[in-house]
């Protein structure tokens, strides 16, 4: 099975089935509450959600996370996402460019993104294992293909574990990422739905990685997607594995806190389902938040549908900023945030003092 | 759309739909338990629930919170509430008087309240933004209109955020409230369903505000009401925002604790649904508790219906006082109160020692 | 309405309706777990559940709690309970003897108990308010009526609060109980379903009371019973009060810990529904456990039915003792007991270190 | 009723009914989360799940726990289990060999196991009470019967308590186990579904026992099985006892932590339902994990069915190892494990610092 046709399967499955994580911490973002500021003391009109990201300006700290490319029939999806991202002034990631490396003719399914969105940050994408195989030199090629502002190197060993054709040699990846981090193309190390722990973040920081896209547990589950695929091909054993590991991973909010505690720049993703989740992510210390799955179906229609699906994120983020008195998105990390329930238990178990977010912040002003 | 007709929409929606908050802390009052005193050592007949409020005597620390006025057809609602409040000897707030400032002929929809209830404390009402626009001078005018004992300046930036015509310039409001607080008319700073945090309370205390009506999360949700209104006018985007922010805010019990910790006088409101909630509020340190939504439907009938709806609050408060051995309402703040569940987590996260309420109180006697 | 006919109402309501408490701590006993001892190191045949109570021997630390008497038609209930208690060798309390004081002819509905059960401890019963009215002298009279080993003076101010004819003068009761405690008849101060707090226990200990029957929240709810009665007589206001206070009170396990911490002898009751609850009660420090409601229906049949309903309590207690390695019932207070959930929160909030029960016990052996 | 026919009853009941524990901690393993390691830094192909157990090599730290033998008609079950265990290279325990001691002709229902599986560790089985009765000398006989690598001496006093014919003399068992532990045949002290506490583990360590099979609460419930049997023979009293004690016991994860804290070698069993539970067990410090009930039905079919049911355990364990970066099974005890919910409460109540598992581990590397 080619990379390209597997990608089509994934998209079809994501469009037709419930593929989100559940697990012991069902909706970790629902355990977080931004503390209402009855007197915001700002004019909502003065709120400026814009920020800089990878040297470009964004209208808001938002991105459409990596999804696709690499098959003629998905080019349109990518173009719709790009047109929408461009119109909204937010960043966009493309899906793994591996297929285009394998097959020249597929390049334009990626490059069309830059054509449709000349001014926004566009982030290329490649799997860590592929990078290891091809060597860091490949990064320039990937960047050039879409005039990328950075390349996300994705980690998806959970998915590889459930795939029949999974590549499970994870050895030496940290070293390669270190080489890549010191190359000319900015890189982002990105999970794909299972999150990044403090320990992993520390080892990445050690080799020079600066930015992480946590893509934590709580949104799309690759184990979930592969469960359907295994069922389709009649591989009961893999199907059972898929079910077992469906919700494996570190909830996105937990992962944000863990990576931030190492001092890394963090993109929040994995289950970002509204501007409220975006605001909570920023309050936990993320610089940006991305969402993937909810944009997929709209993108199969047209750019307008994507804009319609994404606009509420911007609006809700703005409302959150207003109701917590933040003129700039960056101020969200200074507003009190209450952490409850199992997310509280989890972070407590990992040694964090949750009052840091909810009680001490006002003291340090 | 005029202020006045919008008010009618609100009332209609509140009468016909579920408009209460749910959220991560569903019924925060249910997390609180007054510790039973098997030997009250008082004669129930000696219980005196009366208290003084704004220089007048109340039969109990209770009020009907601000709801209406400003449209000919709601005058009757106000009169029924006032007659009932007067008969019961409790306080009453009127709805925002803004419409009457805009349109002279609407004044009597407010002033009728004082006519119907000559002896109880009546609290005028105006939005903080309106106050900022008109200047503190307006407070005398408002007070005079209904011979008010105080004016509640309400904060409703959550609602403004969901309203198409919302006024979202919240800048400089604290300063204006400071000026108002130092004027001749006593003022109460009042939320409208999202609660007031310790930080906000502190900034109010700084400028001289003495009394706060927390109106916390847990009862009427303005985001909820505006969700219905948005749906009616076909504004899907706002409707989505309304749903997202439906339960935004600080639960009433949390807000009481936070504002009390700043040393302010506190009125408890937002989800007060029985005399038990009143007693718990007083035990947390509030001086008075108000309820709005449950009185609306009865008030569309007659004063008797309002009396019938409100009387159980007084009776249950009395039973709570009896079963905790309190002769005076003020003694409730000295009886042990156990705080459980998510409310416990929340207050803990905000740095409060919950044992203060449940364990230390007996030690300090 | 006479005391006697009211009693009949109560019994009828208890037989026909769900009258148990629910509340924020639904089944507090379910939050407790006795730690299994895989190697009991005893012969089950050597287990001796017997104990002494009020100078007599019991086959197990169990009693049938006070329920009835005072009406010709309930004499049989009392006789059946007594025959069963006698056969099983456990203690029994009679219901309030007030009716028999008012009406000589009703005496034998109580005295028949002693006739049927000559050797077991029988506990008389009178309300605290009644005792205050009649003076402690009455205790001898009550004891004599049934040749009682002790008199339970019951506290039921929750019930009085929901009864139309409720007597709510609770003043001076502690003093009277002090006088009674120093009289010739041993007394037990007993709640009736709402529990006794540490503060109340302390004030009782101060005046010389030595034994408490906690009768906590979790079993029969008198507010519940009175709710039905209020509905029957069409008193909607009282009915509403009944509903509101249905689950008011201190959960039985919490009350046991609180009263024990004052050093009093404790009988556990209120929601004791199996020998497991009995064992947990003893582990928390109670000397005896009583159950009422589950014996009512069997008692309307015959003594055999009561024996059948009560025997499993003894058997399960024995199994608990075996599986925790206790030869004597008194040893249960030394076995580890894990406290979880809201009961853990509650006791923590009241200042107790729960590890006392679950972790330290082995250290002190 | 003979030992042998009772065994048949048990198997039939286990095949036809839900017999698993529920209780206050429903699925304790679901309270545990292995922390995802996005960068495992190992090649999955290098993972070696093998380990040594009782001097033999296993392909993975897994066993089929003791179930049967002792009746002609179950010989096939045992053979199927043995063939499967042999094929998979995992250990296997046989059911209690008591019947074969009583009746020579039944021996081959056990010895057939070794015939079918010449190279794997096979563990004999006898009840502690039986051992006490027959004396430690019997161990050699049992070992010889199946060429056993060790004998599991099982503790099942919960079951004995619910059996009509139960043997409930548990006195002196520790001493006998001490003698056995110092004999020539290695012994494992094993519960049968109710777990082993720290206190019990300590008394076993004191007399020289080195290895424990916790068989904790969470899987098969013997009280449950006996409930059905009691119902079948119409013994309502026992049936009621069975229901009451259905979920009695210490959850498997808790029991692992408790026994490990005494320094004993631990086999995890009781509710092991996937390789995830195996991995969590190893992370808590167990050396091996066993499962019984899920293998019963497949074993009534053929060896292939057992292999099919067991293989996913190995595969999932491997995935867990991969996703936590463990090349060897023994490394799992060094990876972070988050403990949540009631299991967290329970272990906290027993004095354990849960951060030991989730936060400190990285520090000690
Ligand atoms: C159809 C689909 C394809 C994806 N392909 C990629 C990919 O090629 N590279 C990658 O890094 N992430 C990929 N992802 C993961 C997303 O970028 C994102 O991390 C993940 O879906 C979690 O976010 P969500 O819950 O908002 O969907 C894909 C997601 C989807 C739904
Ligand atoms: C129909 C309606 C109109 C209201 N109008 C006002 C108002 O004009 N000014 C104000 O301060 N609060 C207003 N409120 C808010 C209430 O005073 C109160 O703070 C809020 O409803 C929460 O209390 P509750 O849960 O008991 O309803 C209104 C509430 C309702 C239901
Ligand atoms: C029908 C009935 C009558 C009762 N009458 C009395 C009484 O006269 N005096 C008393 O102290 N308690 C009385 N009680 C309360 C019980 O003694 C006991 O404290 C209470 O029912 C809680 O225990 P339970 O949950 O096992 O029923 C009565 C209970 C019932 C069900
Ligand atoms: C049918 C059956 C028979 C069993 N017989 C024995 C036995 O003879 N000896 C023993 O130590 N355990 C016996 N067990 C208990 C198991 O070894 C195991 O400890 C228990 O079932 C818990 O594990 P599980 O939840 O994976 O089934 C038996 C279990 C089953 C299901």
């Amino acid at each position: 099975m080619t990379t390209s046709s597997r990608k089509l399967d994934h998209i079809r499955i994501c469009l037709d089935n419930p593929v989100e994580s559940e697990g012991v911490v069902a909706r970790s973002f629902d355990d977080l509450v931004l503390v209402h500021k009855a007197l915001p003391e700002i004019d909502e009109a003065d709120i400026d959600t814009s920020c800089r990201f990878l040297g470009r300006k964004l209208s808001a700290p938002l991105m459409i996370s990596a999804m696709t490319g690499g098959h003629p029939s998905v080019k349109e999806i990518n173009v719709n996402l790009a047109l929408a991202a461009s119109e909204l002034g937010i960043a966009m990631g493309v899906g793994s460019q591996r297929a285009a490396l394998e097959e020249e003719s597929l390049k334009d399914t990626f490059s069309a993104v830059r054509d449709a969105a000349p001014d926004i940050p566009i982030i290329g994408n490649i799997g860590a294992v592929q990078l290891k195989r091809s060597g860091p030199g490949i990064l320039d090629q990937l960047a050039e293909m879409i005039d990328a502002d950075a390349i996300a190197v994705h980690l998806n060993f959970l998915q590889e574990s459930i795939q029949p054709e999974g590549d499970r040699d994870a050895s030496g990846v940290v070293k390669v990422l270190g080489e890549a981090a010191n190359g000319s193309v900015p890189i982002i190390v990105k999970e794909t739905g299972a999150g990044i722990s403090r320990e992993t973040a520390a080892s990445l920081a050690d080799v020079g990685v600066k930015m992480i896209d946590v893509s934590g547990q709580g949104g799309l589950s690759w184990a979930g997607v592969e469960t359907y695929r295994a069922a389709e091909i009649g591989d009961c054993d893999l199907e059972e594995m898929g079910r077992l590991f469906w919700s494996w991973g570190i909830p996105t909010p937990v992962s944000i806190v863990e990576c931030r505690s190492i001092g890394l720049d963090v993109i929040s993703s994995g289950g970002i389902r509204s501007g409220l989740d975006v605001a909570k992510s920023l309050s936990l210390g993320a610089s940006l938040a991305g969402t993937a799955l909810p944009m997929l179906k709209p993108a199969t229609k047209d750019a307008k549908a994507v804009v319609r699906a994404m606009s509420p994120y911007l609006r809700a983020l703005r409302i959150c900023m207003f109701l917590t008195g933040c003129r700039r998105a960056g101020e969200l990390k200074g507003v009190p945030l209450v952490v409850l329930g199992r997310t509280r238990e989890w972070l407590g178990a990992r040694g964090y003092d949750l009052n840091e977010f909810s009680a001490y912040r006002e003291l340090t002003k």
Side-chain angles (χ1 to χ4, degrees), chain A:
Chain A
M1 169 168 284
T2 65
T3 307
S4 174
S5 79
R6 187 168 65 232
K7 277 275 156 193
L8 277 194
D9 283 352
H10 289 157
I11 286 171
R12 183 181 38 77
I13 290 169
C14 284
L15 285 170
D16 294 350
N17 302 282
V19 288
E20 294 191 275
S21 178
E22 297 177 349
V24 289
V25 182
R27 270 275 308 159
S28 182
F29 279 112
D30 289 347
D31 282 340
L32 308 181
V33 195
L34 286 162
V35 174
H36 177 62
K37 187 170 181 185
L39 283 164
E41 281 290 280
I42 58 173
D43 184 349
E44 201 266 358
D46 290 342
I47 289 177
D48 178 1
T49 59
S50 75
C51 64
R52 295 198 70 78
F53 180 56
L54 301 171
R56 300 193 190 242
K57 202 185 156 175
L58 295 183
S59 73
L62 264 174
M63 69 180 291
I64 297 173
S65 297
M67 275 193 290
T68 198
H71 191 284
S73 64
V74 298
K75 182 174 157 185
E76 209 192 309
I77 290 182
N78 257 354
V79 169
N80 289 337
L81 291 171
L83 288 170
S86 180
E87 185 182 331
L88 292 168
I90 64 176
M92 173 178 167
V94 298
S96 170
Q97 295 167 259
R98 180 175 161 193
L101 291 178
E102 292 169 355
E103 167 62 55
E104 182 76 21
S105 73
L106 296 172
K107 280 196 180 167
D108 84 315
T109 63
F110 294 99
S111 58
V113 165
R114 178 51 89 198
D115 299 339
D119 298 323
I120 61 167
I122 290 180
I123 300 158
N125 195 286
I126 193 71
V129 172
Q130 185 65 22
L131 179 71
K132 192 181 76 173
R133 266 213 227 95
S134 320
I138 210 183
L139 291 170
D140 295 294
Q141 221 176 309
L142 296 169
E144 200 190 356
M145 195 192 299
I146 55 169
D147 186 15
D149 301 286
I151 302 292
V153 185
H154 72 248
L155 316 176
N156 69 333
F157 293 106
L158 169 57
Q159 183 186 15
E160 302 287 351
S161 300
I162 314 292
Q163 268 180 345
E165 62 281 77
D167 187 329
R168 297 164 197 144
D169 181 0
S171 64
V173 174
V174 170
K175 187 162 154 282
V176 177
L177 290 173
E179 288 162 22
N182 295 306
S184 56
V185 183
I187 69 154
I188 300 166
V189 177
K190 173 179 181 301
E191 241 290 340
T192 46
I196 292 179
S197 70
R198 175 174 61 211
E199 292 85 346
T200 297
S203 71
L204 288 169
D206 275 354
V207 297
V209 171
K210 302 263 176 289
M211 191 178 290
I212 277 184
D213 182 335
V214 298
S215 195
Q217 181 266 0
L220 176 90
S221 160
W222 276 117
V225 174
E226 297 295 345
T227 303
Y228 293 105
R229 212 154 65 96
E232 287 175 6
I233 63 176
D235 184 334
C236 300
D237 286 5
L238 263 191
E239 190 186 345
E240 187 174 341
M241 290 304 107
R243 269 186 223 297
L244 257 178
F245 288 86
W246 195 294
S247 301
W248 174 277
I250 306 168
T252 299
V254 172
S255 188
I256 297 172
V257 173
E258 300 217 347
C259 294
R260 283 297 301 147
S261 73
I262 296 298
L264 290 167
D265 230 357
V266 168
I267 298 173
S268 163
S269 71
I272 300 292
R273 294 296 173 263
S274 76
L276 264 166
D277 295 344
V278 175
K280 290 170 184 176
S281 296
L282 299 183
S283 186
L284 286 173
S287 323
L288 205 81
T291 186
L293 187 63
M295 298 304 130
L296 185 58
K297 189 161 281 176
T300 60
K301 235 184 134 199
D302 54 32
K304 222 152 83 183
V306 179
V307 170
R308 226 179 1 249
M310 190 52 113
S311 301
Y313 283 67
L314 285 104
R315 188 155 187 180
L317 169 62
R318 234 185 132 83
I319 296 180
C320 284
M321 287 173 64
F322 181 50
L323 297 180
T324 56
C326 298
R327 258 194 214 85
R328 303 283 165 271
E331 297 171 24
L332 276 164
K333 63 170 63 66
V335 305
L337 177 79
V338 174
V339 184
L340 304 169
R342 285 180 95 111
T343 303
R344 181 170 193 77
E345 285 184 359
W346 188 312
L347 283 167
R350 294 281 284 166
Y352 295 97
D353 177 355
L354 277 312
N355 292 17
E356 197 192 315
F357 302 104
S358 48
Y360 305 157
R361 286 182 170 182
E362 75 186 282
L363 303 178
T364 59
K365 285 208 180 159

